[in-house]
Amino acid sequence: MDWRKVATQLFPSVYDVKQEGDLLYGQGRCGKHTVAVIGTTNHAEVGAELALAMAAAVLEVTNKYPRRPILFLVDTSGQRLRHRDEMLGLNGYMAHLAKCVEMARRRGHTIISLVYEQALSGGFLANGMMADRCAALPEAEIRVMGLPAMARVTRISEERLAELSKTSPVFAPGANNYLQMGGLDELWEGDLSACLSKALEHADAIDHRRVRGLERGGRKLADVVVNRVLGSA
Amino acid sequence: MAMENLKYRFDGGKPISGETAIVGVLGSGNLEVLVEPARLDGACEIEVSTAARGFGTIWQAVMKDFFARHHAGDIRISVNDAGATPAIVSLRLDQAIETFKGNHK
Amino acid sequence: MTSSYYESTARARIAGLLDANSFHEWLPAAERVTSPHLATLEQPAAFDDGVVVGKGSIAGKKIFIAAQEGGFMGGAVGEVHGAKIVGMLERAVRDQPAAVLLLLETGGVRLQEANAGLIAVSEVMRAILSARAAGVPVIVAIGGQYGCFGGMGIAARCATAIIISEEGRLGLSGPEVIETARGVEEYDSRDRALVWRTVGGKHRYLLGECDTIVPDSMEAFRNAIIASIENGDDWSLQALEREQQLLGDRLQRFGDCRDSRDIWRKLGWPDPDAIAMMDNDEFVAAAQKRCAKQTIKAP
Amino acid sequence: MIYPAEKIWDHDRQRRNRKLERAASAMGGTLRDKVVSSEMAVQLLESVIEPGDRVCLEGNNQKQADFLAQALTRVDPAKVNKLHMLQSVLALPEHLDLYESGIAEQVDFSFSGPQGGRLARMVGKGQIRIGAIHTYLELFSRYFIDLTPHVALVAAQSADAQGNLYTGPNTEDTPAIIEATAFKNGIVIAQVNEMVDKVPRVDIPGDWVNFVIPSPRPHYIEPLFTRDPAQISEIQVLMAMMAIKGIYAGYGVQRLNHGIGFDTAAIELLLPTYAESLGLKGKICSHWALNPHPAMIPAIEAGFVKSIHSFGSELGMENYIAARPDVFFTGPDGTMRSNRAFSQAAGHYACDMFIGSTLQIDMEGNSSTATLDRISGFGGASNMGADAAGRRHASPGWLKAGEQRRIHNPGIPRGRKLVVQMVETFREHMHPAFVPRLDAWKLAEFANMPIPPVMIYGDDVTHILTEEGIANLLLCANAEEREQAIRGVAGYTEMGLGRDLRMVENLRDRGVIQRAEDLGIDKRDATRDLLAARSVKDLVRASGGLYQPPVRFRNW
């Protein structure tokens, strides 16, 4: 879905979000909240420049608008796969962005993310997955790797992977799988503005994903293992 | 790649004492060996989980020789194997026993 | 036991770095907390799911530690593997050790459990930052055969400090991934000299992506870890603003470089090709005036 | 009666001259002295090669005349066809493309390496006829007897306008090929990496060469003899310890050749550490027929090595070799000169020992690297891994081996070369090294060969060394003992498990079989820490920065 359409539904009264290249930055009004919007579009490949621009936006919001909620609009085809970006330390740029988001959270900004198109592995880790609550539109595509490529790398046949993915959410692409695993808090349908308002009310700074994964049955061990480590002698 | 599970038990060993030990890594051509104390009336129980199917006879011979070398009883040995050769298997088993006894070099 | 960090297993690294007999493992191999997903795929599953976590001491200071085993599936992160690290980090928030050590050796997400792995890496990132925010410095060591890539390459840079050896590699996408996606002209993964000058320890150090570079020995890593713990942490908005500035400067200064050698030349190295063969002391001394400002260290 | 003067005695020379005239007119004004531009290479080949000619295409497992190989695939099969190819090694895809297009139909060669699988399939389909698979010396020898090339296509580093060639460190097979061709009315064409006013040294005189073609890119060289010490396993360290203590020290082996592989690289890297600790410096391993293995650097630096003569060079070793002229054979220009034919002869006649690895060994000790679906050939092992029955000069190791042999095979005093096969009982993926019957038999049947392609014959082998121990076949009284000695070190392979336990223990008591503990070796000492270099970087350091490894071997 075009980001403007998403923004219009999220912020029916008013929003002021500008697109600069693949970067989205601005704000919108959702109920009683003014929400900072930071995001990407065009299935952005997140390279060093884009990651740094997002970090700059987060820092600006943190400095200028204390405690203003931040919404990440996620549409990325992953990290930029270029020699040049690796040479420049793309992982460091991504980590910097993640740290800025964490800093914002700790200074009282509620962080929400919405995958409205695509979210692929590395491009997703440093922003959308850093949120207090992470949501997706039902048709959004979320994945690490498609099954054919996975079959090549793991040397497990594609048929077998496809078969297993019917009963296991653990490796196959899809927003629903991420929902079951606790990686997504919810799918947003219908009144997106209402969904956002509700998310803003319910968000907190605790990482609930492993608990959700356990509750929803998609990731039964993570929470158990964490608790066992916490409870070990 | 289906796994194969093999079990062996050797009776009449000399009980040895030591601390649970793990040696080796479950990587291609290698294996990990876990040795734990177990009250088995002097027996040595071995359980192997291997990615390379169809080598039961060889495992049997390797384990028999291992037991003949150490006569170690009252231990349970668990092996995760990723296609290690008998030479590597024997080496790791010996290292695991030494580590268990606390005198690995 | 070998003194090489590069050649050691995760367990040997722990034994070699920590004070003798100080290590206590949580969820050790005997508890068999293994990956159910690998079992489903009928693939071999390691007793510890490829990561060792626990507590110990280094130079008398209490620390928590996680060590990834590169030999098992390239150190890839699955559900259990990730949760062990997260549990250790959350325990650090609660128990306040002097530091957390992460001995990373990983290609990133384990594809056999890709979704669980990706979420786990994200949880590790957040847990690292929680530990830091709670005042526990997180020290990363990189010097194994598989380097530190994928999401864990991001996680590494979320830590307080990174210690790397010349053999160590740190990045996001591995060279093979980029070569597959963009062709050999973009990145020849078999040109190992190219790979190392792109993601290897020396380049990372010169770029300011690592705090310390050490020779490949257990003793050197241990000493650097002790020094890093002494240095403390600076988890502050100001530190992030400085980093914003430095990362921006880097793009401006080196953004159009095609090869790391061009970067090194701009940093003032008259003969970039000589860098590869310099031994560590010589390199560090020469790099004093020829490296970008570190983004990690407090001024 | 016909007068002798009327009989024509220079048919071949006339034929060569006609070819040269054809070439001159085809090249027209583009020919400068002997220099042909690379664009004209195909026309040149079409004018000097006639249907049915024997064409020797240079290429070993190292240097390749790859530009000329490609040019030959582009000639018009209507003009040039049914060639009889002579090649040391079939290594490039182009080498086999020739048969698909009908340009060539028969081949005599030594080794096929990476093309072994495709070669087997083509032989199966009848697309290619193999004359014979030779040892190197055999093939070179036949160039002077019944397989003299009509045209030789060779590779050199540089040339001048008169055709003087500089073949440099990788001289390899070039002199043998050109000698046979140039002096028997053949035509010699060389691809060269560069044209120079004056070559650094004349490796081949210009009047033996008819044409030189500056190649658009340097000829390919495979760094075949570089082994990364990082990949040497602790089992290989153990086997190397057994080799040094049980064989090198036992026989005082001073003159030797090593095969390629991690097993022998481990031995090389244990010389300055383990062998030194046993006091063996100066007592073993001083003279070598060997490529310049990077793994030899620590041993050379430690003073173990007096001389090395090489079959070819090795990429990255050039500066190191040039800086060690006491050890390597170097020319007046300072760089090495290799020569495969001479080094093979040296390895056969002047060495006391060959040690190398193989893929399969049968119960008679025959070994082969041929497998069912691959025709791989022999490489250098066959000449060096054979007793030089014609040898006369004595040396301590040679005499001792001869004495041991005479215990059960009495006869007039003479020595014996030590031929050692060093294998782990299982290769990767649990393929057993010991088999009841070599795959070579089936391959011979399938490819219609008169004899199975055996790399080293069992009666030439003196020792088999595995991680289980050393079997000294010289000390075996009869075929049955020999078989049990082999089974006794065959470990957990089917052959090993089928051993006669009592007989094997008996052989062990007699020292025919020696296990690590019999040699006083503690297996726990067999760690990688014993290696004088554990990485390629260590090798570079040991060389004082002179060794410059190819990029694929770098991890820094």
Side-chain angles (χ1 to χ4, degrees):
Chain A
M1 198 190 292
D2 185 86
W3 71 266
R4 289 173 197 83
K5 215 166 140 191
V6 179
T8 310
Q9 290 183 37
L10 285 165
F11 311 111
S13 52
V14 59
Y15 73 86
D16 173 22
V17 175
K18 301 226 160 34
Q19 177 180 346
E20 208 172 298
D22 292 341
L23 177 74
L24 306 175
Y25 181 41
Q27 58 198 336
R29 186 82 196 161
C30 172
K32 61 182 179 169
H33 300 283
T34 298
V35 179
V37 176
I38 301 169
T40 54
T41 182
N42 294 330
H43 306 340
E45 275 196 346
V46 184
E49 278 84 357
L50 190 52
L52 192 64
M54 279 193 269
V58 175
L59 288 175
E60 187 173 87
V61 172
T62 311
N63 278 317
K64 284 197 187 155
Y65 313 105
R67 308 185 73 83
R68 177 180 282 184
I70 297 173
L71 171 68
F72 281 104
L73 287 178
V74 179
D75 176 20
T76 169
S77 57
Q79 70 269 25
R80 189 192 275 163
L81 298 172
R82 300 232 70 121
H83 166 265
R84 176 254 188 198
D85 288 80
E86 283 300 316
M87 175 180 75
L88 291 169
L90 180 55
N91 63 307
Y93 286 82
M94 295 285 202
H96 173 67
L97 171 56
K99 284 181 276 188
C100 290
V101 176
E102 182 68 28
M103 184 56 71
R105 177 182 6 256
R106 296 203 175 258
R107 293 170 73 95
H109 298 260
T110 298
I111 319 280
I112 309 288
S113 65
L114 173 65
V115 182
Y116 69 97
E117 270 284 322
Q118 271 191 4
L120 266 65
S121 58
F124 190 28
L125 273 172
N127 48 70
M129 293 185 87
M130 287 296 293
D132 300 328
R133 286 182 87 85
C134 186
L137 300 184
E139 63 275 21
E141 189 186 346
I142 305 180
R143 66 179 153 96
V144 173
M145 192 182 256
L147 290 192
M150 197 174 288
R152 278 197 302 278
V153 179
T154 60
R155 296 199 196 109
I156 300 166
S157 76
E158 204 181 324
E159 296 72 37
R160 175 96 180 111
L161 288 177
E163 182 67 31
L164 286 167
S165 67
K166 285 180 194 158
T167 51
S168 164
V170 80
F171 58 84
N176 251 313
N177 286 338
Y178 277 80
L179 194 67
Q180 281 188 60
M181 313 271 314
L184 287 178
D185 287 84
E186 59 234 347
L187 297 180
W188 287 1
E189 293 175 84
D191 184 346
L192 296 187
S193 184
C195 291
L196 175 58
S197 288
K198 205 172 124 205
L200 287 169
E201 301 306 321
H202 289 92
D204 63 43
I206 299 164
D207 191 341
H208 295 285
R209 289 176 286 185
R210 61 173 191 266
V211 177
R212 302 234 196 288
L214 181 65
E215 288 165 357
R216 295 170 186 171
R219 204 160 52 112
K220 295 177 189 149
L221 270 178
D223 189 55
V224 174
V225 170
V226 169
N227 286 323
R228 279 183 68 178
V229 173
L230 286 167
S232 290
Chain B
M1 175 170 54
M3 305 289 294
E4 185 168 28
N5 289 294
L6 306 163
K7 283 184 185 174
Y8 304 96
R9 181 186 166 102
F10 299 97
D11 287 303
K14 184 169 164 273
I16 58 167
S17 58
E19 279 182 40
T20 298
I22 180 159
V23 302
V25 171
L26 181 56
S28 179
N30 207 337
L31 72 161
E32 57 178 359
V33 178
L34 178 65
V35 186
E36 297 163 283
R39 292 213 186 87
L40 294 169
D41 295 328
C44 168
E45 280 190 2
I46 305 176
E47 186 167 354
V48 177
S49 170
T50 175
R53 295 181 67 86
F55 295 103
T57 324
I58 294 174
W59 281 104
Q60 166 82 42
V62 170
M63 294 308 180
K64 195 175 138 216
D65 286 353
F66 161 75
F67 186 72
R69 273 200 302 282
H70 298 276
H71 268 285
D74 276 1
I75 51 170
R76 174 172 290 117
I77 297 180
S78 309
V79 172
N80 279 326
D81 170 62
T85 60
I88 295 283
V89 174
S90 301
L91 181 68
R92 293 280 175 266
L93 287 167
D94 291 350
Q95 286 170 342
I97 287 293
E98 293 295 323
T99 309
F100 179 84
K101 293 197 279 192
N103 49 3
H104 181 56
K105 196 163 179 172
Chain C
M1 189 180 292
T2 177
S3 64
S4 163
Y5 184 96
Y6 183 81
E7 288 192 15
S8 294
T9 61
R11 288 174 191 282
R13 283 175 191 156
I14 290 174
L17 294 175
L18 301 192
D19 298 341
N21 302 315
S22 73
F23 181 62
H24 171 82
E25 185 173 353
W26 298 319
L27 307 191
E31 297 199 26
R32 294 171 171 78
V33 185
T34 60
S35 164
H37 312 301
L38 292 175
T40 307
L41 293 167
E42 300 192 83
Q43 301 219 327
F47 292 122
D48 55 17
D49 206 35
V51 66
V52 183
V53 299
K55 63 181 176 180
S57 69
I58 185 163
K61 291 196 167 72
K62 289 178 72 173
I63 54 91
F64 289 179
I65 188 168
Q68 293 180 298
E69 176 51 63
F72 175 63
M73 307 193 85
V77 180
E79 178 174 356
V80 171
H81 181 119
K84 286 173 77 174
I85 301 175
V86 170
M88 181 274 291
L89 286 161
E90 293 200 357
R91 189 166 171 156
V93 171
R94 185 187 76 192
D95 297 353
Q96 294 284 307
V100 165
L101 309 184
L102 298 177
L103 315 184
L104 302 185
E105 180 170 4
T106 175
V109 169
R110 185 185 295 168
L111 288 178
Q112 286 83 350
E113 35 193 304
N115 301 338
L118 185 69
I119 299 167
V121 168
S122 177
E123 288 170 332
V124 168
M125 285 168 60
R126 280 192 68 176
I128 288 172
L129 294 171
S130 292
R132 289 186 63 188
V136 180
V138 179
I139 316 292
V140 166
I142 300 170
Q145 302 185 29
Y146 293 82
C148 177
F149 287 98
M152 290 304 285
I154 301 176
R157 282 285 276 107
C158 289
T160 309
I162 297 177
I163 299 159
I164 199 166
S165 64
E166 175 177 20
E167 289 81 1
R169 286 168 295 156
L170 170 61
L172 183 48
S173 309
E176 293 82 6
V177 175
I178 297 180
E179 184 183 317
T180 305
R182 304 267 172 158
V184 69
E185 303 77 22
E186 173 74 24
Y187 201 165
D188 182 354
S189 65
R190 282 172 309 174
D191 183 343
R192 304 216 299 174
L194 169 68
V195 171
W196 255 268
R197 69 176 182 267
T198 304
V199 293
K202 279 178 172 164
H203 176 58
R204 288 303 182 225
Y205 182 74
L206 292 178
L207 209 55
E209 286 279 299
C210 295
D211 290 80
T212 314
I213 185 163
V214 294
D216 173 42
S217 82
M218 223 52 108
E219 191 193 0
F221 270 98
R222 178 180 153 94
N223 291 336
I225 290 167
I226 294 167
S228 290
I229 296 172
E230 296 286 337
N231 282 343
D233 196 357
D234 180 9
W235 169 250
S236 67
L237 182 60
Q238 293 70 35
L240 290 177
E241 279 169 342
R242 281 197 305 273
E243 186 168 79
Q244 180 77 22
Q245 183 69 42
L246 287 170
L247 290 173
D249 290 349
R250 185 191 295 170
L251 283 180
Q252 262 195 338
R253 210 171 155 198
F254 309 126
D256 56 358
C257 289
R258 308 212 28 173
D259 189 286
S260 303
R261 284 179 296 211
D262 303 333
I263 296 178
W264 302 346
R265 227 172 263 119
K266 286 193 178 187
L267 285 169
W269 292 86
D271 180 11
D273 287 322
I275 292 177
M277 275 321 295
M278 285 185 169
D279 74 20
N280 199 70
D281 288 350
E282 185 191 359
F283 170 73
V284 170
Q288 286 266 319
K289 290 185 176 139
R290 295 176 192 151
C291 66
K293 263 191 214 151
Q294 304 228 332
T295 57
I296 300 165
K297 212 179 278 174
Chain D
M1 170 155 184
I2 298 167
Y3 290 98
E6 290 172 18
K7 184 165 161 70
I8 297 169
W9 286 99
D10 62 350
H11 275 115
D12 291 352
R13 185 176 297 163
Q14 289 182 27
R15 183 159 163 247
R16 175 178 65 180
N17 290 342
R18 282 197 301 277
K19 288 180 172 185
L20 291 174
E21 281 160 23
R22 274 208 302 275
S25 80
M27 297 301 102
T30 67
L31 192 63
R32 296 266 177 279
D33 294 321
K34 291 182 174 175
V35 186
V36 174
S37 76
S38 58
E39 296 83 40
M40 300 297 286
V42 173
Q43 285 95 316
L44 176 65
L45 295 181
E46 286 179 346
S47 56
V48 301
I49 304 177
E50 293 175 357
D53 270 0
R54 280 189 299 271
V55 176
C56 181
L57 178 53
E58 181 173 21
N60 209 289
N61 43 22
Q62 298 174 281
K63 176 173 79 170
Q64 285 290 343
D66 52 350
F67 172 73
L68 290 172
Q70 282 156 16
L72 191 56
T73 62
R74 297 207 310 272
V75 299
D76 181 355
K79 293 182 194 157
V80 178
N81 49 56
K82 298 188 173 158
L83 300 182
H84 179 170
M85 301 301 296
L86 311 169
Q87 290 178 256
S88 290
V89 175
L90 291 167
L92 307 175
E94 290 84 357
H95 292 159
L96 291 178
D97 294 346
L98 293 173
Y99 302 88
E100 283 177 344
S101 57
I103 293 171
E105 63 175 18
Q106 179 169 351
V107 65
D108 278 277
F109 72 107
S110 286
F111 189 69
S112 67
Q115 297 298 322
R118 187 171 161 213
L119 178 63
R121 289 192 296 278
M122 288 175 69
V123 167
K125 283 193 280 182
Q127 282 177 305
I128 183 167
R129 203 164 69 237
I130 294 176
I133 308 176
H134 305 73
T135 74
Y136 287 140
L137 278 179
E138 227 183 331
L139 186 65
F140 297 152
S141 301
R142 289 188 71 189
Y143 292 168
F144 296 92
I145 302 293
D146 64 328
L147 288 181
T148 306
H150 296 111
V151 179
L153 308 176
V154 301
Q157 171 58 35
S158 61
D160 62 21
Q162 286 70 50
N164 291 305
L165 299 184
Y166 171 60
T167 44
N170 284 87
T171 294
E172 304 187 11
D173 308 17
T174 317
I177 295 169
I178 293 185
E179 177 101 11
T181 311
F183 292 93
K184 198 66 171 47
N185 304 307
I187 288 174
V188 174
I189 302 174
Q191 73 168 74
V192 300
N193 295 347
E194 54 176 347
M195 293 301 301
V196 294
D197 291 336
K198 187 175 186 314
V199 289
R201 68 174 192 236
V202 177
D203 283 307
I204 304 290
D207 58 359
W208 303 2
V209 177
N210 300 96
F211 300 100
V212 294
I213 306 180
S215 169
R217 62 195 169 278
H219 57 248
Y220 181 73
I221 299 185
E222 171 78 14
L224 194 71
F225 294 85
T226 302
R227 288 293 177 276
D228 185 346
Q231 292 183 45
I232 293 173
S233 70
E234 50 217 310
I235 301 289
Q236 284 162 336
V237 172
L238 173 67
M239 288 166 64
M241 291 167 77
M242 290 197 277
I244 288 170
K245 203 165 181 189
I247 300 176
Y248 291 56
Y251 293 89
V253 176
Q254 288 282 26
R255 303 184 271 156
L256 71 162
N257 167 261
H258 273 185
I260 323 175
F262 288 102
D263 296 324
T264 41
I267 297 175
E268 290 156 20
L269 290 168
L270 251 51
L271 291 177
T273 56
Y274 182 66
E276 172 102 51
S277 75
L278 297 177
L280 294 172
K281 188 157 105 184
K283 296 183 179 148
I284 61 168
C285 297
S286 52
H287 298 91
W288 299 72
L290 191 75
N291 279 310
H293 293 182
M296 284 296 292
I297 291 171
I300 294 170
E301 294 305 300
F304 260 80
V305 178
K306 289 205 170 67
S307 78
I308 296 177
H309 186 262
S310 301
F311 314 91
S313 188
E314 184 66 3
L315 277 182
M317 286 290 280
E318 298 81 3
N319 294 346
Y320 179 75
I321 293 166
R324 300 287 181 271
D326 281 354
V327 173
F328 294 97
F329 286 70
T330 51
D333 63 318
T335 70
M336 190 174 83
R337 160 111 170 178
S338 58
N339 188 311
R340 192 171 314 277
F342 286 151
S343 210
Q344 285 285 334
H348 182 65
Y349 273 107
C351 285
D352 295 334
M353 181 175 86
F354 164 78
I355 180 166
S357 198
T358 187
L359 294 185
Q360 292 187 331
I361 300 180
D362 70 12
M363 291 304 98
E364 292 177 3
N366 298 305
S367 69
S368 174
T369 53
T371 52
L372 262 190
D373 46 357
R374 298 180 61 82
I375 300 178
S376 56
F378 307 125
S382 303
N383 286 128
M384 285 170 292
D387 184 28
R391 176 173 165 176
R392 295 296 186 276
H393 71 285
S395 65
W398 184 75
L399 287 173
K400 181 172 177 184
E403 272 165 34
Q404 290 188 337
R405 186 175 179 279
R406 283 199 307 282
I407 295 172
H408 298 292
N409 300 278
I412 197 162
R414 69 192 287 198
R416 182 70 165 76
K417 181 192 253 176
L418 296 161
V419 175
V420 184
Q421 291 279 271
M422 184 178 187
V423 289
E424 284 183 56
T425 52
F426 286 93
R427 303 196 312 275
E428 56 195 4
H429 308 304
M430 291 292 283
H431 289 297
F434 293 88
V435 294
R437 193 167 185 262
L438 298 176
D439 280 355
W441 285 96
K442 283 188 200 153
L443 184 63
E445 237 166 80
F446 161 78
N448 205 17
M449 298 174 183
I451 53 173
V454 168
M455 184 172 74
I456 295 181
Y457 287 107
D459 53 10
D460 278 322
V461 175
T462 60
H463 297 74
I464 295 175
L465 193 169
T466 73
E467 75 277 13
E468 296 284 332
I470 300 171
N472 183 342
L473 306 183
L474 291 168
L475 296 174
C476 294
N478 51 43
E480 193 192 0
E481 274 196 12
R482 202 179 152 84
E483 175 174 338
Q484 289 303 325
I486 295 172
R487 287 183 186 271
V489 294
Y492 296 94
T493 61
E494 198 189 329
M495 297 300 102
L497 293 174
R499 65 186 174 264
D500 179 326
L501 291 175
R502 194 186 49 80
M503 233 177 125
V504 164
E505 280 316 301
N506 182 273
L507 290 172
R508 195 173 160 192
D509 291 343
R510 278 169 42 203
V512 177
I513 291 174
Q514 289 186 293
R515 310 246 178 250
E517 48 270 40
D518 304 339
L519 291 163
I521 293 170
D522 185 340
K523 286 184 181 175
R524 290 176 299 178
D525 291 335
T527 69
R528 285 177 41 80
D529 285 350
L530 270 185
L531 297 170
R534 290 191 303 198
S535 64
V536 173
K537 188 163 70 176
D538 286 349
L539 294 174
V540 177
R541 287 210 183 98
S543 76
L546 289 166
Y547 171 46
Q548 297 178 309
V551 289
R552 77 165 98 147
F553 292 105
R554 293 256 305 258
N555 65 346
W556 67 91

